[in-house]
């Protein structure tokens, strides 16, 4: 078993516009990418669980083979920079993904 | 010889700065244009709502100076996208003032094209009533007339069309209002007859400066070359390299989908794009495809004021206080609300952020608290600054002297790093418009103006 952050080369979050958060998990090799992809751990149920959202708040989960990368996009509950937002750029929201066990 | 076009992108956002050595390396390559993106919604709705720039006037001037001087020497266009960060008319004119200052100081005369991207509220209302406006994503509410009235300024992202149109007049500088980030780069390539798919992909990479290189940064220059069937990107500093992996990974950046990129009137598909290392530091890209949408949509952006904020930052070190912190916060809010019962409850909102506990992730935090001190930020957002100040002051004194069970530190519960402890933040904004609007085409909604810059009045 390894944790996702031990395998991924890039694991980040950022706004994709002020109403969405997007997570990029990118691997250095195809082998590592396939290991995570084929583990099936990245799925709608898991994302909804770790981000405390309903599945309908997930815009997309896409596995993109040519770049050895996975992209997850979710809807923000509070849009960027207004009352109650904790992370204007959305740049520190990736932590719940880091400890996923592969 | 193959037809090619070279573009220097000095940095990721105008005013972020770039090493002049890198820039001059680019100038020595005899580029055909110098193009920089100045825009971003990353910093939240405040810039658009309050009409202020992301970067300082001095920073913009420092970045623009070499671009204008060297651009004029080579006789190549300098194009600025999303002037001032938000691209409102106010920000366009702010940038124009800086440009004119440089022109006068350097005794340069140029032809400037200005492309505005502002819209009158009446026009947006007509479009709304005509059912031509819809939310960009499903978590955004349908637009209302009231939203439009409440919004400070409304801009829309232009595609390449107005930029191509402006280039036909041979201006030395094109100053764009809000533009789709890749559009100024794509506009230059499309004007010269290159493939639209490759042009937009090149724009998507160049708009972030050297972020696609390894190590990546928005504060360095990058050179993009478009040919008849490919684009080539390479950094202009010997400290960086463009690698197949770094350029392919950049395709992911800040977009909701890894290979489908929706722009004004277009959908760029990078699913079959090929990335090939052509030299130690350069990457060539092929097969990027673009399709035109049946109806032409532009993205509207608008922000409105939603209140006024006052906040306090304080440290808590007493372990007994930390143990009861969230309970004390709730109870303090209750006491304040009871004390000011004559102020309607919905006139203000109180938020606590406990750094060290769950400050960043809120209810998604999965780690159990194990620290010995906590940074508390509490804020009051109200419908007037006076109410925000009053409630925040009351909350601060209530928290400071709150007598919880077993309390031994009866002199005070909070360590303030500054005096006064309460910070009057001012207005708070919210993105009130982030919608798609159907238009007849990508050109006519955007007004283009030409003027002579640098003339002594």
């Amino acid at each position: 078993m390894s944790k996702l952050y031990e395998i991924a080369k890039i694991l980040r979050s950022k706004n994709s516009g002020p109403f969405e958060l997007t997570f990029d998990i990118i691997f250095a090799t195809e082998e590592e990418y396939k290991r995570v992809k084929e583990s099936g751990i990245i799925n709608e149920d898991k994302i909804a669980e770790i981000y405390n959202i309903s599945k309908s708040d997930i815009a997309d989960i896409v596995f993109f083979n040519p770049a050895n990368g996975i992209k997850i996009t979710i809807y923000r509950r509070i849009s960027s920079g207004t009352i109650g937002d904790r992370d204007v750029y959305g740049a520190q929201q990736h932590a719940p993904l880091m400890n996923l066990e592969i | 010889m193959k037809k090619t076009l070279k573009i220097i992108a000095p940095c990721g956002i105008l005013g972020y700065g770039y090493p002049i050595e890198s820039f001059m390396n680019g100038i020595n390559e005899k580029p055909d244009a110098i193009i920089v993106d100045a825009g971003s919604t990353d910093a939240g709705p405040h810039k658009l709502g309050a009409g202020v720039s992301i970067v300082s006037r001095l920073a913009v001037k420092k970045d623009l100076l070499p671009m204008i001087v060297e651009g004029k020497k080579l006789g190549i266009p300098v194009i600025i996208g999303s002037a001032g960060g938000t691209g409102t008319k106010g920000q366009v004119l702010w940038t124009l003032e800086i440009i004119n200052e440089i022109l006068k100081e350097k005794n340069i005369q140029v032809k400037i094209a200005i492309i505005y991207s502002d819209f009158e509220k009446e026009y947006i209302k007509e479009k709304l009533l005509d059912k031509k406006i819809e939310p960009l994503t499903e978590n955004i509410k349908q637009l209302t007339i009231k939203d439009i009235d409440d919004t400070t300024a409304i801009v829309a992202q232009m595609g390449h069309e107005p930029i191509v149109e402006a280039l036909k007049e041979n201006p030395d500088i094109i100053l764009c209002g809000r533009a789709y980030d890749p559009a100024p780069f794509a506009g230059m390539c499309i004007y010269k007859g290159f493939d639209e798919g490759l042009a937009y992909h090149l724009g998507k990479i160049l708009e972030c400066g050297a972020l696609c290189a390894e190590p990546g940064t928005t504060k360095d220059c990058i050179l993009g070359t478009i040919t008849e069937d490919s684009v080539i990107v390479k950094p202009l500093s010997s400290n960086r390299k463009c690698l197949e992996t770094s350029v392919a990974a950049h395709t992911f950046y800040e977009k909701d989908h890894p290979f489908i990129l929706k722009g004004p009137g277009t959908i760029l598909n990078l699913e079959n794009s090929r990335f090939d290392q052509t030299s130690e530091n350069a990457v060539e890209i092929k097969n990027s495809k673009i399709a035109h949408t049946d109806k032409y949509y532009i993205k509207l952006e608008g922000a409105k004021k939603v209140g006024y904020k006052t906040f306090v930052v304080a440290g808590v070190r007493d372990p007994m206080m930390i143990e009861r912190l969230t309970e004390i916060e709730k109870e303090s809010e209750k006491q304040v609300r009871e004390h000011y019962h004559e102020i309607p409850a919905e006139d203000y909102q109180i938020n606590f952020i406990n750094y060290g506990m769950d400050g960043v992730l809120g209810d998604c935090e999965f780690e159990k608290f194990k620290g010995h001190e906590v940074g508390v930020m509490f804020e009051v957002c109200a419908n007037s600054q006076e109410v925000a100040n009053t409630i925040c002051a009351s909350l601060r004194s209530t928290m400071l002297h709150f007598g919880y069970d077993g309390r031994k530190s009866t002199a005070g519960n909070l360590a303030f790093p500054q005096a006064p402890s309460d910070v009057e933040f001012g207005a708070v904004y919210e993105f009130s418009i982030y919608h798609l609007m159907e238009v007849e085409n990508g050109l006519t909604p955007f007004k283009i103006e030409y003027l002579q810059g640098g003339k002594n009045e």
Side-chain angles (χ1 to χ4, degrees), chain A residues 14 19 71 73 80 82 86, chain B residues 139 252 254-256 359 429:
Chain A
K14 190 76 193 277
F19 290 87
K71 186 177 258 302
T73 302
S80 162
T82 196
R86 288 166 181 263
Chain B
N139 59 330
F252 269 62
E254 288 183 335
K255 288 285 165 189
D256 63 337
Y429 295 84

Side-chain angles (χ1 to χ4, degrees), chain B residues 316-319 322-323 355-357 368-374:
Chain B
V316 180
R317 181 62 181 78
D318 187 303
I322 289 174
E323 209 171 286
Y355 287 104
M357 278 183 168
K368 243 181 108 70
F369 175 72
K370 47 181 184 278
H372 59 273
E373 71 176 22
V374 178

Side-chain angles (χ1 to χ4, degrees), chain B residues 27-39:
Chain B
I27 293 298
N28 291 335
E29 298 257 1
K30 298 269 176 288
D32 300 282
I34 303 168
I35 306 179
V36 69
D37 173 33

Side-chain angles (χ1 to χ4, degrees), chain B residues 137-154:
Chain B
T137 51
E138 56 187 70
N139 59 330
I140 299 173
K141 289 191 222 94
Q142 287 290 342
L143 197 61
T144 64
I145 297 287
K146 186 171 185 319
D147 292 331
I148 299 171
D149 281 330
D150 289 347
T151 298
T152 323
I154 306 171

Side-chain angles (χ1 to χ4, degrees), chain A residues 30-41:
Chain A
E30 194 183 344
E31 189 193 344
E32 289 162 323
Y33 165 68
K34 278 193 168 161
R35 183 178 160 203
V36 173
K37 184 183 175 184
E38 284 160 15
S39 77
I41 186 87

Side-chain angles (χ1 to χ4, degrees), chain B residues 210-400:
Chain B
L211 202 58
C212 69
E214 181 88 33
T217 177
T218 52
K219 295 169 182 267
D220 202 350
C221 314
I222 186 118
L223 182 76
T225 305
I226 188 165
T227 74
E228 282 160 14
D229 60 354
S230 74
V231 294
I232 299 150
V233 287
K234 73 167 191 185
L236 289 165
S237 150
S238 55
N239 299 332
R240 305 177 201 287
K241 290 182 168 65
C242 281
L243 305 173
E244 279 171 30
T245 48
S246 68
V247 178
H250 180 70
T251 305
F252 269 62
Y253 188 63
E254 288 183 335
K255 288 285 165 189
D256 63 337
H257 196 282
F259 55 86
I260 304 288
L261 278 69
K262 292 176 187 161
T266 56
I267 297 178
L268 182 62
N269 188 328
L270 309 180
E271 187 169 16
N272 298 313
S273 297
R274 274 193 47 196
F275 300 85
D276 292 304
Q277 200 78 45
T278 50
S279 71
E280 196 200 10
N281 65 349
V283 171
E284 184 175 42
I285 305 153
K286 287 184 171 173
N287 293 342
S288 304
K289 302 286 178 211
I290 207 160
H292 291 262
T293 51
D294 290 341
K295 291 175 180 172
Y296 199 109
Y297 290 97
I298 51 178
K299 184 158 77 183
L300 298 174
E301 294 171 345
K304 68 172 180 191
K305 197 184 281 180
V306 287
Y308 298 82
K309 186 192 287 192
T310 305
F311 70 92
V312 171
V313 175
V316 180
R317 181 62 181 78
D318 187 303
M320 287 159 72
M321 168 85 175
I322 289 174
E323 209 171 286
R324 293 165 182 78
L325 185 59
T326 49
E327 188 191 315
I328 291 167
E329 288 170 346
K330 268 189 208 138
E331 194 51 41
S332 299
E333 173 168 354
K334 201 175 142 216
Q335 286 185 12
V336 170
R337 286 192 180 273
E338 276 166 11
H339 182 68
Y340 282 104
H341 57 87
E342 67 278 17
I343 301 176
E346 62 275 13
D347 277 10
Y348 61 94
Q349 185 182 328
I350 296 173
N351 296 310
F352 294 93
I353 298 187
N354 298 323
Y355 287 104
M357 278 183 168
D358 59 358
V360 175
L361 294 177
D363 63 7
C364 298
E365 184 54 65
F366 52 92
E367 295 283 0
K368 243 181 108 70
F369 175 72
K370 47 181 184 278
H372 59 273
E373 71 176 22
V374 178
V376 179
M377 195 289 299
F378 52 89
E379 59 178 20
V380 179
C381 299
N383 57 3
S384 76
Q385 191 70 60
E386 193 187 4
V387 171
N389 291 352
T390 304
I391 300 294
C392 193
S394 176
L395 185 64
R396 181 242 311 136
S397 56
T398 305
M399 289 268 290
L400 178 63

